[in-house]
Amino acid sequence: MTDFAATKAMFDLPEGVIYLDGNSLGPLPKSATSRVQDMLTDEWGQMLITGWNKAGWMGLPTGLGDRIGRLIGAEQGSVVTGDTLSIKVYQAVAAALELNPSRKVVLSDNGNFPSDLYMADGLLRSLGEDYELRIVDPEDVAEAITEEVAVLMLTEVDYRSGRMHDMKALTELAHANGVITVWDLAHSAGAIPVDLEGCNADFAVGCTYKYLNGGPGAPAFIYVAPRLAETVRPALSGWLGHEAPFAFDLDYRPGSGIERMRVGTPPVIQMTALAAAMDIWDMAEMADVRAKSIELTELFITRVEAACPELQLASPRTPEVRGSQVSFRFTEGYAAMQALIARGVIGDFRAPDIMRFGFTPLYIDEADVIRATEIMADVMQNKLWDAPEYKIRQRVT
Ligand SMILES: Cc1ncc(COP(=O)(O)O)c(C=O)c1O
């Protein structure tokens, strides 16, 4: 059993804050401060360039990939970290398209995160006019999987509502129609149990700054099924994905397996912070995290609906098809969220009217949920959000 009191004690949470935004940016693991400090002074400071070998910096992308892999049901050696998630989406979709050269359609849904759609659109434009990004409603995805489709690109957990796609069923249906799958796990990794191997997934990508707590700008990850890893041709063929980067050959030869999905120099400082965050994940089992997350989200929904009738649930009511977040619609949602943040309850806002709250059992417990809903009741019942300072839109919402 995961000891959630012990995991909570490993985070540096500001006094008086109830942090319900770990689905956007996880909090600081206490050990990250000294780990990064030591890396800076002992490794960068003392070893200088020899740190790449002596401190093992070059092995960080795959080492961290394996640690993340445990949480998403990936085979050892099938995940590598680096770059941003948007870049990894591009890489995965480009590689998937090359595996299905006679087809020209990438299928996605309008619940997908816009950056995924933008990246796919940009990629398809560079490939030619006969390529198409087809976007359907989430509930129509299964029906739209036809033999015309090359790649199915979906985010498993909807970033706004928390609605989950059935990864196993859709992957099976895709394969039955000769379609390659790319799953975005940004709101899944560390939020819900994922079984990439069991689902027979082809490609998956995700980020490490949300539920995994790697810090702002932490590197993304990419998974390639081992059965495909020696076949895929990386479109972003950077030197560190080369078979022999330090041979400095003029022609590109992909590295072995997942190594070929590396692009350039890894962000070592950021990866050191992520390594500290992964130490906490080593104390947790995803099944426990999921069970606790469901308890917390159920409690939150029940209490908010009882106290704040003007908020309308925008997440699935059934916990089995809901990720680890709960969203409510409210026309003045932006102002209401600012009023909550001013009172120490931090969630976020997604246009046009979604108030979004993330539940992360590693550091959120029942007492936090009860206190947060008391504060919400006060803000809503007394219209505390109706003040000019809460209506000024900031750059990041
Ligand atoms: C589902 C999803 N995909 C892609 C992205 C883009 O990630 P990045 O900014 O790291 O490229 C995000 C960012 O929040 C996201 O939530």
Side-chain angles (χ1 to χ4, degrees):
M1 277 299 279
T2 307
D3 180 350
F4 289 115
T7 58
K8 185 170 186 167
M10 313 276 296
F11 287 96
D12 208 349
L13 293 159
E15 201 52 46
V17 164
I18 302 170
Y19 194 59
L20 304 182
D21 213 1
N23 52 313
S24 239
L25 173 68
L28 173 69
K30 282 180 184 161
S31 64
T33 313
S34 57
R35 284 281 284 277
V36 170
Q37 179 69 53
D38 292 350
M39 182 268 145
L40 292 174
T41 51
D42 303 349
E43 298 182 10
W44 183 14
Q46 294 305 309
M47 296 178 192
L48 297 159
I49 192 136
T50 66
W52 287 108
N53 290 320
K54 278 195 197 148
W57 294 341
M58 217 25 117
L60 283 171
T62 44
L64 287 165
D66 279 339
R67 297 181 76 183
I68 295 165
R70 182 182 77 84
L71 304 179
I72 54 175
E75 303 87 338
Q76 286 287 292
S78 61
V79 179
V80 69
T81 51
D83 315 300
T84 66
L85 175 49
S86 302
I87 296 290
K88 286 325 203 194
V89 167
Y90 185 97
Q91 226 185 355
V93 176
L97 276 169
E98 274 209 27
L99 292 174
N100 225 347
S102 61
R103 302 184 184 190
K104 311 264 183 251
V105 176
V106 173
L107 176 65
S108 191
D109 71 23
N110 53 28
N112 206 344
F113 192 77
S115 194
D116 294 26
L117 303 175
Y118 305 158
M119 294 308 282
D121 185 50
L123 167 65
L124 297 187
R125 260 187 292 119
S126 72
L127 291 176
E129 277 177 8
D130 46 346
Y131 282 84
E132 183 196 341
L133 174 60
R134 194 170 291 169
I135 302 172
V136 300
D137 289 339
E139 49 283 6
D140 295 338
V141 167
E143 201 183 313
I145 297 174
T146 63
E147 292 188 357
E148 210 191 342
V149 175
V151 179
L152 174 65
M153 175 189 76
L154 292 175
T155 294
E156 187 187 18
V157 178
D158 185 297
Y159 73 104
R160 268 185 299 218
S161 66
R163 178 229 2 100
M164 280 165 65
H165 273 306
D166 185 337
M167 183 189 288
K168 194 168 174 42
L170 288 174
T171 302
E172 257 172 42
L173 187 59
H175 288 173
N177 284 277
V179 177
I180 311 265
T181 55
V182 174
W183 287 100
D184 182 336
L185 305 180
H187 300 270
S188 307
I192 56 170
V194 178
D195 184 8
L196 289 175
E197 185 181 5
C199 290
N200 204 18
D202 301 305
F203 294 86
V205 292
C207 62
T208 63
Y209 47 76
K210 298 181 191 290
Y211 292 93
L212 298 183
N213 313 309
F221 64 83
I222 185 165
Y223 163 86
V224 181
R227 71 191 137 76
L228 300 175
E230 297 296 341
T231 319
V232 296
R233 285 207 321 159
L236 300 175
S237 35
W239 73 304
L240 289 183
H242 193 281
E243 185 184 53
F246 286 86
F248 297 106
D249 291 339
L250 294 186
D251 59 322
Y252 179 80
R253 293 189 310 280
S256 87
I258 196 66
E259 290 276 352
R260 68 185 58 188
M261 300 315 257
R262 294 172 70 147
V263 182
T265 305
V268 176
I269 301 173
Q270 197 77 65
M271 285 187 172
T272 304
L274 175 58
M278 293 312 296
D279 288 349
I280 306 179
W281 277 108
D282 288 346
M283 300 162 63
E285 287 304 327
M286 278 315 300
D288 299 338
V289 171
R290 179 63 171 158
K292 191 80 195 163
S293 151
I294 289 178
E295 271 175 39
L296 296 176
T297 53
E298 290 287 277
L299 179 66
F300 184 73
I301 293 171
T302 307
R303 290 182 60 92
V304 171
E305 288 193 322
C308 315
E310 52 284 77
L311 299 187
Q312 194 197 341
L313 185 66
S315 297
R317 198 167 283 285
T318 319
E320 288 75 25
V321 292
R322 187 174 69 223
S324 201
Q325 66 177 71
V326 174
S327 302
F328 283 97
R329 284 186 196 286
F330 179 52
T331 39
E332 291 289 346
Y334 181 80
M337 188 54 83
Q338 297 312 303
L340 285 174
I341 292 171
R343 288 161 182 79
V345 178
I346 303 185
D348 62 20
F349 173 78
R350 288 294 173 261
D353 58 357
I354 296 269
M355 297 172 72
R356 200 170 66 148
F357 303 90
F359 294 85
T360 46
L362 290 193
Y363 52 86
I364 291 293
D365 56 26
E366 279 89 353
D368 294 323
V369 172
I370 290 168
R371 184 72 196 121
T373 52
E374 283 166 0
I375 294 170
M376 275 178 87
D378 185 33
V379 164
M380 296 308 299
Q381 287 165 11
N382 298 308
K383 285 198 166 30
L384 301 179
W385 51 265
D386 196 8
E389 68 268 29
Y390 298 142
K391 299 188 181 172
I392 303 163
R393 291 279 170 122
Q394 301 196 54
R395 188 164 177 179
V396 176
T397 64

